[in-house]
Amino acid sequence: MKDPISVFIVDDSAVVRQVLSQLLAADPGIRVSGTAPDPIFALQKMLRDWPDVIVLDVEMPRMDGITFLKKLMKERPTPVVICSTLTEKGADTTVQALSAGAVDIITKPKIGLRDFLQAGGQHMVHVLKAAARARLAAVPDPRPAVMPVPKSQAPLAMACTTDQVVSLGTSTGGTQALETVLTRLPVDCPGIVVVQHMPEKFTAAFAQRLNRLCRCEVREAVDGDRVIPGLVLIAPGGRHMQLRRSGAQYRVGVADGPPVNRHKPSVDVLFRSVAQTAGRNALGIIMTGMGDDGAQGLLAMRQAGAHTIAQDQESSVVFGMPREAIDIGAAAEVLPLGRMADAIVGCSLRR
């Protein structure tokens, strides 16, 4: 029998520390090695029993979570799951933490905290177990090779209809992977639609961050947005996104609905719509993530004539979603993260 994974909780809320400890201790696969109200106390305790995973708040006294996270990633890389309040104000900070090396997010409301945490207990267990398997050294330097070109200098072709659509799905570890890929794309890259498993309110901050870093334009999708070259549309947290055809144009539909594969947005929902709408005119890419969301949708894309790619194990933070896609024959090609941008730029040459 495998030893349980050890988890250390760093949160200035005594209620969060207590409730999370009780929830996690109930799972035989998890051992809570300790708790602390801030990173300084946490370091003192963790040195005696270093954990497999750290649950970390971002707004704390004495040392904030991001400063602590950067210190950890530099001195002793350890899987970190951010435990953040579900607000627009905290979303940007949390996205910074994900970019700095955290592997996932657990959200918490300001009121009804105990009930919320108890209701989401099983999800938290899945997230922490996936985080314990994360390959922290897998993600290369996400900075682009050249400085971004101001978006106003984009060619006039951006206003034209494109027959090429790139659909990309990812989950745990995906924030860093997407930054790696998208910052390497040119200003006139093919139109791209993305599902990144992320809670409501966080996707807008994530898109804004990527837009500041990328030469192409990146924004959170709105129902009816047109898919055009040079534009990356990211599905909003808490809503599904699908590709639709409107005459000679591709547009996205954004709507509520039940979770699919436990996720909303779901990669499978996007990929299946791309298979039906774009067929061979699409490129599908599935990247790092826990679970199997997107595998069946990628298979549908391949069967519809689209070229399909899965990220390889060596460069995946969590090799769950790509493995499932490979196992069922959904991926025509398996590539490392560092070659994804070239694959996207070259997708129009395959026709």
Side-chain angles (χ1 to χ4, degrees):
M1 182 177 179
K2 291 183 179 179
D3 292 335
I5 64 169
S6 58
V7 176
F8 195 97
I9 301 166
V10 189
D11 198 301
D12 62 347
S13 166
V15 173
V16 171
R17 297 197 304 273
Q18 178 189 28
V19 175
L20 274 183
S21 294
Q22 292 172 348
L23 285 173
L24 300 179
D27 190 289
I30 293 178
R31 174 177 67 89
V32 179
S33 61
T35 68
D38 67 49
I40 295 176
F41 281 129
L43 272 176
Q44 296 169 357
K45 292 185 176 182
M46 289 192 304
L47 287 173
R48 297 192 294 268
D49 182 12
W50 199 265
D52 297 313
V53 182
I54 299 169
V55 177
L56 180 67
D57 193 9
V58 289
E59 297 176 341
M60 291 176 291
R62 298 211 292 172
M63 181 187 291
D64 68 272
I66 293 181
T67 300
F68 181 52
L69 177 63
K70 289 179 177 177
K71 180 179 175 68
L72 280 174
M73 293 301 113
K74 181 179 179 181
E75 299 177 4
R76 191 164 179 173
T78 304
V80 172
V81 173
I82 296 297
C83 189
S84 179
T85 303
L86 190 64
T87 64
E88 278 91 351
K89 180 182 177 183
D92 187 58
T93 305
T94 301
V95 169
Q96 290 178 45
L98 289 168
S99 180
V103 297
D104 215 331
I105 307 169
I106 293 173
T107 59
K108 56 181 182 180
K110 286 191 172 182
I111 58 175
L113 184 60
R114 187 182 297 271
D115 291 341
F116 179 86
L117 291 174
Q118 289 175 339
Q122 196 57 45
H123 171 68
M124 293 176 194
V125 167
H126 284 304
V127 168
L128 294 175
K129 288 182 177 179
R133 300 191 299 269
R135 300 168 58 92
L136 295 184
V139 181
D141 184 359
R143 298 295 175 179
V146 293
M147 292 300 291
V149 176
K151 295 173 179 62
S152 61
Q153 295 182 18
L156 293 177
M158 284 186 63
C160 300
T161 299
T162 176
D163 285 332
Q164 290 293 312
V165 177
V166 177
S167 56
L168 205 158
T170 185
S171 185
T172 311
T175 53
Q176 297 161 307
L178 283 170
E179 188 172 320
T180 296
V181 174
L182 298 182
T183 53
R184 295 180 180 181
L185 295 177
V187 68
D188 58 348
C189 66
I192 301 174
V193 287
V194 176
V195 165
Q196 159 70 56
H197 293 160
M198 189 175 277
E200 183 183 0
K201 301 184 186 294
F202 290 93
T203 42
F206 179 52
Q208 289 164 9
R209 172 182 168 78
L210 288 175
N211 191 53
R212 291 193 295 267
L213 296 173
C214 296
R215 285 170 283 181
C216 52
E217 181 182 359
V218 184
R219 66 172 184 253
E220 186 182 56
V222 174
D223 186 49
D225 272 346
R226 188 173 161 192
V227 181
I228 57 174
L231 176 63
V232 179
L233 295 172
I234 296 181
R239 300 215 170 233
H240 290 303
M241 182 169 74
Q242 295 178 290
L243 187 70
R244 296 172 179 167
R245 188 92 190 193
S246 177
Q249 303 173 355
Y250 291 119
R251 295 184 181 271
V252 294
V254 176
D256 200 359
V260 175
N261 300 326
R262 303 181 305 278
H263 294 288
K264 187 169 61 170
S266 162
V267 181
D268 264 332
V269 169
L270 175 63
F271 280 2
R272 286 188 176 118
S273 71
V274 173
Q276 295 171 357
T277 304
R280 68 183 185 87
N281 293 326
L283 169 66
I285 301 177
I286 193 165
M287 301 201 306
T288 175
M290 171 179 64
D292 61 0
D293 188 30
Q296 291 294 333
L298 195 72
L299 179 61
M301 288 187 64
R302 187 175 187 187
Q303 291 170 340
H307 187 67
T308 56
I309 301 173
Q311 185 178 352
D312 70 357
Q313 183 171 4
E314 287 302 310
S315 67
S316 294
V317 174
V318 177
F319 191 55
M321 289 162 52
R323 184 199 298 275
E324 290 291 334
I326 293 167
D327 286 350
I328 65 172
E333 194 173 6
V334 179
L335 292 178
L337 184 63
R339 291 179 57 191
M340 292 298 184
D342 289 340
I344 291 172
V345 171
C347 73
S348 61
L349 302 178
R350 295 192 180 92
R351 295 190 63 195

